[in-house]
Amino acid sequence: QVQLVESGGGLVQPGGSLRLSCAASGFTLGYYTIGWFRQAPGKEREGVSCISTTSGSTYYADSVKGRFTITLNNAKNTVSLQMNSLKPEDTATYYCAGGFLGGTCPDTRRASWGQGTQVTVSS
């Protein structure tokens, strides 16, 4: 069984920083793509950032571009999301997803999901 576990969420003031981590466990052939998605109460889930584990290509939503950075470790079984200059609108539950198809971002209908980690940005 393949599992994804998110960590690093918390409460931070506007302008602060957090680093999220997504770790994979269990036996697997590996993921082609890993992505971060977020969902705030009353809003639809949105893609935040993704990375291809083979090519290293990345994707960033316009709302986070220049503030967030996604990075793979050398083993390609963990991915971090460095979040700087956080804004109240970044408040959401952040989910890590692993995709089995090509491209940069996972297909959300076919991906494996973690349990999520809460990020709250408030003054």
Side-chain angles (χ1 to χ4, degrees):
Q1 184 180 36
V2 178
Q3 294 182 326
L4 296 172
V5 179
E6 303 95 336
S7 62
L11 174 64
V12 65
Q13 292 184 323
S17 298
L18 286 173
R19 182 187 292 269
L20 305 184
S21 180
C22 175
S25 63
F27 294 103
T28 178
L29 293 176
Y31 298 107
Y32 283 94
T33 59
I34 300 175
W36 285 98
F37 299 78
R38 67 187 182 188
Q39 186 167 28
K43 295 187 176 181
E44 294 184 347
R45 181 179 60 199
E46 64 174 337
V48 178
S49 182
C50 309
I51 189 166
S52 167
T53 63
T54 55
S55 71
S57 65
T58 58
Y59 161 83
Y60 295 96
D62 289 342
S63 59
V64 307
K65 194 175 183 64
R67 300 187 296 120
F68 292 9
T69 303
I70 190 168
T71 305
L72 286 169
N73 79 337
N74 291 333
K76 296 183 174 63
N77 63 346
T78 62
V79 62
S80 66
L81 184 69
Q82 179 66 44
M83 306 186 297
N84 298 326
S85 302
L86 284 163
K87 305 174 180 179
E89 49 263 47
D90 295 317
T91 296
T93 301
Y94 284 70
Y95 298 91
C96 178
F100 302 95
L101 302 176
T104 303
C105 288
D107 181 340
T108 59
R109 295 185 178 184
R110 299 179 181 271
S112 296
W113 295 86
Q115 295 297 309
T117 185
Q118 179 66 39
V119 172
T120 302
V121 184
S122 177
S123 61

